[in-house]
Amino acid sequence: MSYNAIKKTFDLGNGRQVEIETGKLAKQADGAVVVKMGNTMLLATVVSAQEAKPGTDFLPLSVDYQEKYAATGRIPGGFLRREARLSDYEILISRLVDRALRPLFPEDYHADTQVMISLISADKDIMPDALAGLAASAALAVSDIPFNGPISEVRVAKIDGNLVINPLLSELERATLEFIVAGSASDIVMVEGESKEISEEEMVEAIAFAHEAIKVQVQAQLELAQLVGNTEKRVYNHEPSNPELRERVYAATYDSVYEVAKSGSSKKERTVKFADIAEAFALTLGEEVDEETVFLAKKYFHDVQYDAVRNLILNEGIRLDGRDVRTVRPIWSEIDYLPAAHGSAIFTRGETQSLTSVTLGAKDDEQMIDGAFINGYSRFILHYNFPGFSTGEVRPNRGPGRREVGHGNLAMRSLKQVLPSQEENPYTIRIVSDILESNGSSSMATVCAGTLALMDAGVKITAPVSGIAMGLITDEKTGKYAVLSDILGDEDHLGDMDFKVTGTSKGIVACQMDLKINGLKWEVLKEALYQAKEARLHILNEMLKTIQAPRADYKPHAPRIVSLTIDKEFIGAIIGPGGKIIQEMQRETGTTISIEEVEGKGIVQVFADNKASIDAAVSRIKGIAAKPEVGEVYEGKVKSIMPFGAFVEILPGKDGLLHISEIDWKRYETMEGIFQVGEMVKVKLLDIDKQGKLKLSRKALIPRPEKQEQNKETENK
């Protein structure tokens, strides 16, 4: 038995074909497709409940991207040897898809919806993350689930000066910018990526270039849906309504909410005042009010807050904390707050605060990345923590969630652009940002605190980085809009855009944008970028008042690393059989030693917290890696004594013969009593024969006796 699968193919450019297939796999899902490019295949499925759970006033959407290790011919690590919880890399891709899909579902659709994307086959040079959004949207397109799409996602990169869509993994090393862009046929909905200090114009150009490719992919999905014949969407009613109650809520609360919003009070004060207004209205409903009315009253009061705050900004240019649209909240920062850390900083902007530390480690501290598609090691680690107390909430600590992973990744993308090269900085670097207070972008506070902590640690970053979160309020009816600098948490929640931009004084190094509206004009995007530049440069200037450049040296208690380059042939000698030599050196010198082969050379790193230990280990390594040179004098150790001479170790693992005739100018008949095994003796290397044997002499270092010189002169006469 075989299925008649329905396929749609489109050209990605340069002859690269992408195929979308449906009707063959996962037929019991509401929608299922396989997207294929080269040997890379993604299976995307979507299932949505027919009815929403009572009392639900949001979309319970879950998006999970998972890579099957078999897709790359690998077996998972760990004890169980099976795919387990999602890795950070998989979570980041899940977030990219979620952020692109979520704004396109109808606002009144509240059914549990699950999107699952699996990498089932992989081409090691074709990155699957750029196809995940296309696969998820195509699965929705062939289903009956209400969705205001299709959408798609592409990676846009500038390589060798040219913009490229979905470049190969091997090409990305040369990219000066790299963004994942998501959008519909008419609008951009999400952007995330990093760049090498590019201009605002270059960023807009890249996004516009990506949008043209997205339009082609959206059209392919529409044509696939036509081929399937499943263009009718299900009828639903997930949100009861009561127009009369809505009018009552607005009439009773709007003016009061507007005045609180205009008062410029703190977050806690606003929260209490808004709650008092809501409670006062709830009392007017009477004691025997039904659950649906209570539910709708809360929903309509939220709508009042939404409209009042937005109207205040659009009509009067006043924000919740009393600022105008361009003003950044007060900033203060401090470095060297944690005396035992290798570097630390506090950065506070308004009611958002990050305490960040930097730890310098050895090569052995590198993070191992064990994914199906991406695996290897990372020398730069950034962890972001967001405890409940930072927002005044009681919340159990269950480890980092998807939000923490995403925010930490944005900060990591930003700071890695300015890290020195491995030759200049041999350390493994770990940054930890603990958010102690949050009302506004804590990821941008992490970027700023991370920059200060790196400079406090003495890491020679190429330039300091600052970041800012921008917002947008629009009114489609009047065409009014306001771009907001340094948005509050409520402005993020009630606004139409969350746009985070990080950069140096020269240009943009990373960004993350989420849109909740349709029809963002390019002119508005450019305005937001230039306003963001103004704000982040202001923040950067405030940061530089605390520390202007990296410290000249690391902290006294920071560990030190010395790097040595040796010939490849000595790697084995340093390691020794079964690691015996290197383990012995580490144990006796109190150091950590790593060695690897890079481009035909051995790179040795010696790591310790004191100079004496490093010097001792370096001396021993140099001894092993040194090549004996004819004419050089060595302090050697007698290893064994034979009737014809002694074997002396002049360098680790390198013995030479000190013949009995080369011990002294006088003649010895026997070796008995001349040397003891283990005795140190100074010798000169006379010769290295074709077999590599070393000929040593002690006699060459001893002045010739005068009597012998006189006898020699007499003989000559």
Side-chain angles (χ1 to χ4, degrees):
M1 179 179 178
S2 64
Y3 290 103
N4 293 320
I6 299 171
K7 300 180 181 181
K8 178 64 185 175
T9 302
F10 63 88
D11 196 314
L12 194 62
N14 297 328
R16 296 173 296 163
Q17 296 290 308
V18 177
E19 178 186 275
I20 312 174
E21 177 188 84
T22 188
K24 190 171 185 177
L25 302 183
K27 292 174 67 66
Q28 293 193 45
D30 289 331
V33 302
V34 172
V35 171
K36 182 178 181 182
M37 179 179 174
N39 289 334
T40 292
M41 298 172 67
L42 295 173
L43 169 64
T45 61
V46 58
V47 177
S48 187
Q50 292 292 329
E51 299 295 334
K53 293 178 181 177
T56 304
D57 62 350
F58 64 97
L59 174 64
L61 172 67
S62 63
V63 179
D64 290 314
Y65 167 84
Q66 187 174 42
E67 297 178 341
K68 305 298 183 181
Y69 276 70
T72 55
R74 299 183 62 227
I75 295 174
F79 181 77
L80 296 177
R81 297 290 179 183
R82 69 174 297 166
E83 290 83 1
R85 63 181 292 274
L86 299 185
S87 67
D88 284 0
Y89 176 70
E90 291 167 320
I91 287 172
L92 291 170
I93 298 175
S94 301
R95 278 174 51 86
L96 287 174
V97 177
D98 185 305
R99 287 160 47 205
L101 296 180
R102 192 176 292 272
L104 275 297
F105 281 92
E107 289 186 4
D108 59 351
Y109 189 74
H110 305 319
D112 279 331
T113 304
Q114 184 179 43
V115 177
M116 298 185 69
I117 311 155
S118 300
L119 177 67
I120 56 177
S121 177
D123 184 318
K124 293 186 178 180
D125 215 15
I126 297 176
M127 301 185 71
D129 55 354
L131 301 172
L134 167 64
S137 177
L140 284 164
V142 299
S143 76
D144 68 340
I145 300 170
F147 182 63
N148 299 323
I151 61 97
S152 193
E153 290 179 343
V154 299
R155 171 177 276 103
V156 59
K158 180 169 276 190
I159 299 170
D160 301 331
N162 299 312
L163 291 172
V164 181
I165 297 297
N166 291 4
L168 299 176
L169 178 60
S170 57
E171 296 174 327
L172 278 182
E173 295 179 359
R174 309 196 307 274
T176 55
L177 66 83
E178 176 203 346
F179 299 128
I180 291 285
V181 181
S184 63
S186 57
D187 301 302
I188 296 296
V189 296
M190 192 277 300
V191 180
E192 178 158 336
E194 59 192 72
S195 54
K196 304 289 186 184
E197 297 177 295
I198 64 170
S199 67
E200 285 70 19
E201 294 86 352
E202 198 171 353
M203 181 173 174
V204 172
E205 179 190 15
I207 295 173
F209 185 80
H211 195 209
E212 293 304 311
I214 288 170
K215 293 176 183 178
V216 174
Q217 300 187 15
V218 166
Q219 183 59 35
Q221 294 176 63
L222 293 172
E223 292 174 9
L224 179 68
Q226 290 288 342
L227 292 172
V228 172
N230 194 8
T231 57
E232 293 294 324
K233 300 300 181 181
R234 68 180 65 166
V235 177
Y236 66 94
N237 182 18
H238 296 166
E239 196 171 274
S241 63
N242 186 333
E244 181 182 345
L245 177 62
R246 188 176 191 279
E247 288 184 15
R248 282 182 59 194
V249 173
Y250 265 76
T253 65
Y254 182 88
D255 290 342
S256 300
V257 168
Y258 193 93
E259 287 305 312
V260 171
K262 192 177 179 178
S263 65
S265 53
S266 69
K267 180 182 177 181
K268 284 187 177 181
E269 291 172 332
R270 285 196 308 275
T271 301
V272 171
K273 291 177 180 178
F274 284 149
D276 289 344
I277 296 170
E279 186 177 348
F281 178 80
L283 294 174
T284 67
L285 296 175
E287 295 183 0
E288 301 193 9
V289 64
D290 59 86
E291 289 185 8
E292 182 176 294
T293 301
V294 172
F295 169 78
L296 287 174
K298 290 180 179 178
K299 178 186 180 303
Y300 295 147
F301 183 72
H302 177 271
D303 293 343
V304 168
Q305 291 177 284
Y306 180 86
D307 288 342
V309 171
R310 293 166 65 90
N311 288 338
L312 175 65
I313 294 171
L314 289 173
N315 296 332
E316 301 189 48
I318 299 174
R319 298 164 64 177
L320 285 169
D321 57 359
R323 285 180 293 151
D324 61 29
V325 296
R326 305 182 83 93
T327 299
V328 176
R329 288 171 293 174
I331 292 168
W332 70 267
S333 57
E334 180 180 338
I335 59 168
D336 202 20
Y337 182 74
L338 305 174
H342 299 155
S344 64
I346 305 171
F347 178 85
T348 305
R349 185 194 64 247
E351 296 175 299
T352 298
Q353 184 178 75
S354 169
L355 172 61
T356 294
S357 63
V358 168
T359 305
L360 305 176
K363 180 174 174 55
D364 290 352
D365 294 312
E366 289 180 336
Q367 181 182 25
M368 184 174 70
I369 301 169
D370 182 28
F373 186 78
I374 300 291
N375 58 84
Y377 293 87
S378 174
R379 293 177 55 250
F380 180 45
I381 307 161
L382 192 149
H383 291 144
Y384 164 100
N385 300 314
F386 192 83
F389 68 77
S390 65
T391 53
E393 299 174 271
V394 177
R395 189 170 67 242
N397 185 5
R398 295 291 183 264
R402 292 191 174 193
R403 180 183 181 278
E404 285 86 345
V405 172
H407 281 38
N409 181 68
L410 177 59
M412 183 274 293
R413 281 177 179 267
S414 303
L415 294 175
K416 80 173 186 179
Q417 304 298 328
V418 297
L419 290 180
S421 66
Q422 187 168 353
E423 290 73 23
E424 297 173 293
N425 179 76
Y427 291 100
T428 294
I429 299 175
R430 181 183 184 233
I431 296 177
V432 178
S433 171
D434 291 303
I435 302 304
L436 307 184
E437 225 184 315
S438 181
N439 181 18
S441 179
S442 51
S443 63
M444 296 298 92
T446 296
V447 170
C448 299
T451 293
L452 294 171
L454 284 168
M455 291 198 288
D456 180 52
V459 176
K460 303 300 186 291
I461 58 174
T462 58
V465 181
S466 62
I468 189 69
M470 308 296 293
L472 178 69
I473 305 292
T474 60
D475 186 338
E476 292 184 11
K477 294 179 181 178
T478 64
K480 289 183 179 179
Y481 70 89
V483 177
L484 311 180
S485 297
D486 183 20
I487 57 174
L488 302 171
D490 287 340
E491 290 171 339
D492 180 11
H493 178 60
L494 300 173
D496 299 322
M497 178 180 75
D498 178 13
F499 191 5
K500 301 180 178 74
V501 188
T502 67
T504 68
S505 60
K506 294 181 180 179
I508 297 168
V509 295
C511 78
Q512 183 183 91
M513 179 174 73
D514 293 304
L515 282 170
K516 308 168 192 176
I517 57 165
N518 297 327
L520 178 66
K521 297 178 180 178
W522 293 112
E523 293 75 16
V524 177
L525 177 58
K526 288 179 182 178
E527 181 178 333
L529 278 169
Y530 280 109
Q531 192 167 319
K533 180 179 181 180
E534 172 189 294
R536 62 181 174 80
L537 290 179
H538 164 75
I539 294 172
L540 185 59
N541 288 331
E542 293 297 309
M543 292 164 55
L544 294 178
K545 293 177 182 178
T546 302
I547 181 171
Q548 292 194 346
R551 291 184 184 273
D553 195 8
Y554 304 113
K555 300 286 183 68
H557 57 278
R560 305 292 163 141
I561 291 181
V562 171
S563 293
L564 305 171
T565 301
I566 62 170
D567 288 341
K568 174 183 174 181
E569 61 186 276
F570 295 115
I571 293 177
I574 293 172
I575 296 173
K580 179 181 178 182
I581 302 298
I582 196 169
Q583 290 172 11
E584 182 181 277
M585 275 196 288
Q586 290 180 119
R587 184 174 60 254
E588 293 180 357
T589 62
T591 58
T592 298
I593 303 171
S594 66
I595 184 168
E596 62 179 338
E597 183 182 339
V598 178
E599 297 179 354
K601 291 286 186 180
I603 305 299
V604 185
Q605 288 190 347
V606 184
F607 179 92
D609 57 7
N610 67 85
K611 187 175 184 297
S613 294
I614 288 180
D615 289 346
V618 168
S619 177
R620 294 179 64 167
I621 291 167
K622 284 183 175 179
I624 296 173
K627 291 183 178 180
E629 294 186 21
V630 174
E632 285 294 313
V633 176
Y634 297 93
E635 185 81 19
K637 180 187 288 187
V638 177
K639 301 292 287 185
S640 62
I641 300 173
M642 308 298 287
F644 51 83
F647 285 97
V648 179
E649 184 183 56
I650 61 170
L651 291 171
K654 297 177 180 65
D655 298 348
L657 175 61
L658 176 59
H659 193 269
I660 191 170
S661 64
E662 291 292 338
I663 293 175
D664 205 332
W665 287 102
K666 64 183 178 181
R667 182 181 177 86
Y668 287 106
E669 298 294 335
T670 175
M671 289 293 297
E672 187 175 346
I674 300 176
F675 295 125
Q676 298 292 327
V677 173
E679 181 180 343
M680 302 302 294
V681 56
K682 188 173 289 187
V683 294
K684 183 176 182 178
L685 178 58
L686 297 180
D687 188 28
I688 303 174
D689 67 17
K690 293 180 179 179
Q691 286 75 40
K693 294 180 180 179
L694 310 181
K695 182 181 179 181
L696 307 176
S697 175
R698 178 171 171 265
K699 182 171 70 174
L701 302 176
I702 301 173
R704 193 182 185 98
E706 290 184 11
K707 185 177 180 180
Q708 291 185 9
E709 291 288 345
Q710 291 172 358
N711 291 339
K712 186 174 180 181
E713 290 177 7
T714 303
E715 291 172 1
N716 290 338
K717 290 180 180 178

